[in-house]
Amino acid sequence: MRVSVVIAAYNAEAYIAEAIESLLGQTVPPDEVIVIDDGSTDGTRGILDGFSDRIVAFTQANSGQATAVNKGLALACGELIGFCDADDLWTPRKLELQLALLERDGAIEAAFGKVQQFVSPDVPEQHRVRLTPAVEIMPGELKQCMLIHRAALDRAGPFDETLPATFFIAWLGRAKQSGLKIAHVDDILVRRRLHLGNGGRTNTDAQNLQTLMALRKAIKAQRPPE
């Protein structure tokens, strides 16, 4: 089956090339890599153009990560879908291991694995202790760690563009409620970069509010109609 990978990028010139190379360098490479440049004002687009026909690059007006990911999904042709954040890295055997898991058990619809968090080498020394994670390696039910059958992804519906910081949390909760069958590879599949520009660290108030909104939507969806 064909594998499509979607990346949403915004002002990602520092890390996007390394992220893309980690996809193209897989032991089993994806069939297409789609990068949506979400209105970057730095050199992101120039870096994407440097990959030529090795990737599909599309630029849109800045609309948020959820909108960009949905756009990428609309362009994707694969029967299996993966994701990567513009500042993270896939380990070399990610796709190989997840494809083997999905092949062994046809009932599994989405494969996850472990995530290793690391402080980016470019972070100044005075900030490294603050960014050092309490847990380095953890189970990774994160977007960038998931490989999913397109049919299962579509069954749960598109990502909620009103929740730009927590859209994947909300989607995964909805997908599990609808019966998504998942399994985990017991290997590190993604290296999550921690740096001063991480959205989850710089926009914690927005993330907390959107998590609350996502929970309210999930509770409302479970209530029987009046």
Side-chain angles (χ1 to χ4, degrees):
M1 285 189 287
R2 287 174 56 84
V3 177
S4 298
V5 184
V6 175
I7 302 179
Y10 175 69
N11 287 351
E13 65 177 0
Y15 309 121
I16 186 63
E18 194 175 356
I20 293 172
E21 291 290 1
S22 78
L23 308 184
L24 299 177
Q26 290 286 298
T27 54
V28 180
D31 295 281
E32 65 176 358
V33 174
I34 300 170
V35 185
I36 306 299
D37 173 20
D38 189 35
S40 296
T41 58
D42 64 356
T44 295
R45 181 67 210 206
I47 293 172
L48 299 182
D49 290 342
F51 282 93
S52 187
D53 60 357
R54 300 172 71 197
I55 67 172
V56 176
F58 181 90
T59 297
Q60 65 177 25
N62 181 246
S63 306
Q65 186 181 173
T67 302
V69 172
N70 281 336
K71 175 64 178 180
L73 288 173
L75 298 173
C77 298
E79 295 89 2
L80 291 169
I81 304 292
F83 303 90
C84 187
D85 282 355
D87 51 0
D88 290 343
L89 304 170
W90 280 11
T91 56
R93 298 181 65 211
K94 177 184 185 291
L95 279 185
E96 175 191 343
L97 295 170
Q98 289 182 307
L99 287 168
L101 175 61
L102 293 174
E103 186 176 343
R104 284 197 304 270
D105 188 344
I108 297 171
E109 297 176 304
F112 291 87
K114 293 181 178 178
V115 171
Q116 180 182 37
Q117 303 189 95
F118 72 101
V119 179
S120 189
D122 61 320
V123 171
E125 188 63 35
Q126 65 268 30
H127 297 292
R128 299 187 69 82
V129 172
R130 177 170 63 87
L131 292 180
T132 298
V135 178
E136 179 187 1
I137 299 173
M138 60 183 183
E141 287 195 357
L142 306 174
K143 169 174 54 63
Q144 59 268 46
C145 201
M146 180 175 73
L147 182 67
I148 185 170
H149 284 278
R150 180 63 185 258
L153 191 154
D154 289 343
R155 187 178 70 226
F159 295 118
D160 188 341
E161 296 176 6
T162 69
L163 301 171
T166 60
F167 65 90
F168 183 73
I169 297 172
W171 178 90
L172 185 59
R174 192 168 72 244
K176 287 183 174 181
Q177 288 172 7
S178 70
L180 181 69
K181 299 176 179 64
I182 70 173
H184 290 255
V185 173
D186 192 26
D187 289 84
I188 296 170
L189 302 184
V190 172
R191 299 191 69 228
R192 180 173 181 261
R193 186 190 302 269
L194 305 178
H195 56 93
L196 297 177
N198 282 127
R201 290 177 179 270
T202 59
N203 299 308
T204 53
D205 289 344
Q207 191 168 33
N208 291 339
L209 176 60
Q210 289 175 33
T211 299
L212 178 60
M213 291 169 61
L215 288 172
R216 286 175 175 171
K217 286 186 177 184
I219 293 170
K220 185 176 181 180
Q222 289 181 316
R223 289 176 179 166
E226 297 180 355

